[in-house]
Amino acid sequence: MLNKFLCFIMLILIVLIGCTSKEVLVINKPAVYGEMNLSNNVAATPIGDANVWENITNFGHENKFNNVDFSGGGLIPRVTGLYLAQHSESFFNGANAEFHITFSINGVQEDKCHARRKLIQTGDIVNSGSHCLLQLSSGDNVTLSIINVDNANDPTIEEANVILIWVRD
C-alpha cells in the first residue's frame, strides 16, 4: 500500500513540474556505472613523440561495474545514453613539460573533458581532473589519454580515477 501511495505522489510531482514521459521512465531504469583506477603506480606511460596522444592503459578496477565492462584500460558501456564522465589524476615528470589529459571515445579525443597542467620543476607532482557529459553508444571504448606538448618525456601517473555514470537515454 505504501509503494502505491509513493508512486501516486511521484506521479503528481512529475505532472506538477512538467516532466516528459521519457523522464518518467528513467525512474525504473537500473543503475549503469563503471569505475577504473590506478593506485601507487610507478610505471611511466610511454610518450612516443611530442604532441601525440597516448592512452593510459595500466588501470585496474575494484569490481564497481553495472552494465559497463572494463577492458584494456577502458570502460565500455552496454547501454546507449548520456553519461556523466569524470577523471582525476596525480602525475609527475621532468621539469618544464606541459601535459593535457582528456577522454578518448574509440580513439578520438573529447575536447570538452580536457585538463591541462604544466610541470615547472623536477619533482613536481601535479593533480588534474575534469568532468563532462558524454553521449555514448553501447560498445564505445572510453579511455583516458595524455599528451606531452613540449617533448617526448614519459609521465608517471601515480594515482588516477575514472568514472562513468549513466544519466539518461
Side-chain angles (χ1 to χ4, degrees):
M1 183 69 162
L2 181 60
N3 284 342
K4 287 182 181 180
F5 176 74
L6 290 176
C7 287
F8 176 74
I9 295 299
M10 287 183 71
L11 182 61
I12 297 285
L13 289 173
I14 289 166
V15 169
L16 289 176
I17 60 175
C19 293
T20 66
S21 61
K22 186 174 185 179
E23 290 166 342
V24 173
L25 294 175
V26 171
I27 295 170
N28 293 320
K29 187 104 174 175
V32 179
Y33 56 86
E35 177 184 36
M36 60 184 182
N37 58 56
L38 185 59
S39 183
N40 298 315
N41 179 54
V42 295
T45 296
I47 300 290
D49 294 308
N51 286 313
V52 175
W53 287 98
E54 300 290 344
N55 285 338
I56 301 167
T57 58
N58 49 348
F59 279 98
H61 63 87
E62 295 178 4
N63 297 319
K64 294 179 184 170
F65 299 96
N66 194 39
N67 288 310
V68 174
D69 296 318
F70 172 78
S71 178
L75 295 175
I76 303 167
R78 294 185 214 157
V79 177
T80 296
L82 187 66
Y83 285 78
L84 173 62
Q86 299 177 316
H87 68 86
S88 63
E89 50 281 326
S90 297
F91 61 97
F92 65 89
N93 178 270
N96 206 22
E98 182 176 315
F99 291 90
H100 298 232
I101 298 177
T102 193
F103 286 110
S104 293
I105 303 169
N106 301 322
V108 178
Q109 286 70 44
E110 181 59 57
D111 288 338
K112 65 183 175 181
C113 297
H114 181 256
R116 176 177 100 168
R117 291 305 303 250
K118 177 89 171 179
L119 287 89
I120 303 301
Q121 298 178 17
T122 300
D124 282 352
I125 298 174
V126 297
N127 298 314
S128 69
S130 183
H131 56 274
C132 62
L133 294 172
L134 296 175
Q135 184 66 44
L136 299 174
S137 297
S138 177
D140 279 348
N141 187 14
V142 181
T143 56
L144 195 61
S145 297
I146 189 167
I147 188 172
N148 183 337
V149 298
D150 291 321
N151 54 54
N153 292 345
D154 300 339
T156 299
I157 293 89
E158 288 186 310
E159 311 287 335
N161 187 265
V162 173
I163 297 173
L164 286 179
I165 301 171
W166 180 90
V167 176
R168 62 173 287 175
D169 290 332

